Amino acid sequence: MAGFVPLHSGFIDPWSLPLLAVITIAAAGTAVLLGLAIGAFVQRQSRPYLLVVAALAALFGRSAVAGITIVGLFSQAEHHLLEHGLDIILVALVIAAVYHSRTISNETNLDT
């Protein structure tokens, strides 16, 4: 097992320009989406919108974890644990938002 490199941890230089560009673009794009989602939540004040805001915050957290790892504050093991933990949170929040929206629409249809 000499020379074994788990997953992608040894293939990209952490200070490579393409990696920094991708993380920066991902963080900026997610921040814009998060801002729009917060605006929509403030306007609608509903639980599904809040769940979407939380899911996008988890997505933004992934970019933050990548950036913090590049600076050296997280090890690769911590990076992967946090990144995949945020994946689980993100998926759970999206499923909860969809489930809650479907439940509300079914209840509304019964009243009409």
Side-chain angles (χ1 to χ4, degrees):
M1 284 278 183
F4 174 73
V5 179
L7 300 175
H8 59 275
S9 62
F11 297 116
I12 298 177
D13 176 23
W15 290 101
S16 73
L17 189 56
L19 180 62
L20 293 173
V22 166
I23 292 171
T24 302
I25 291 168
T30 306
V32 169
L33 284 175
L34 181 57
L36 292 171
I38 290 170
F41 169 70
V42 167
Q43 187 176 20
R44 298 287 182 160
Q45 298 280 320
S46 70
R47 186 171 294 149
Y49 279 82
L50 178 61
L51 293 168
V52 169
V53 166
L56 288 171
L59 188 60
F60 181 75
R62 285 183 50 115
S63 296
V65 166
I68 291 170
T69 302
I70 284 178
V71 221
L73 296 177
F74 289 149
S75 69
Q76 285 295 324
E78 292 168 328
H79 165 83
H80 282 100
L81 178 65
L82 290 170
E83 189 176 65
H84 296 303
L86 287 168
D87 287 341
I88 293 168
I89 291 169
L90 191 150
V91 169
L93 288 166
V94 169
I95 290 171
V98 169
Y99 177 78
H100 190 273
S101 293
R102 301 271 306 173
T103 304
I104 288 175
S105 68
N106 288 340
E107 290 172 0
T108 305
N109 289 340
L110 292 175
D111 292 337
T112 58

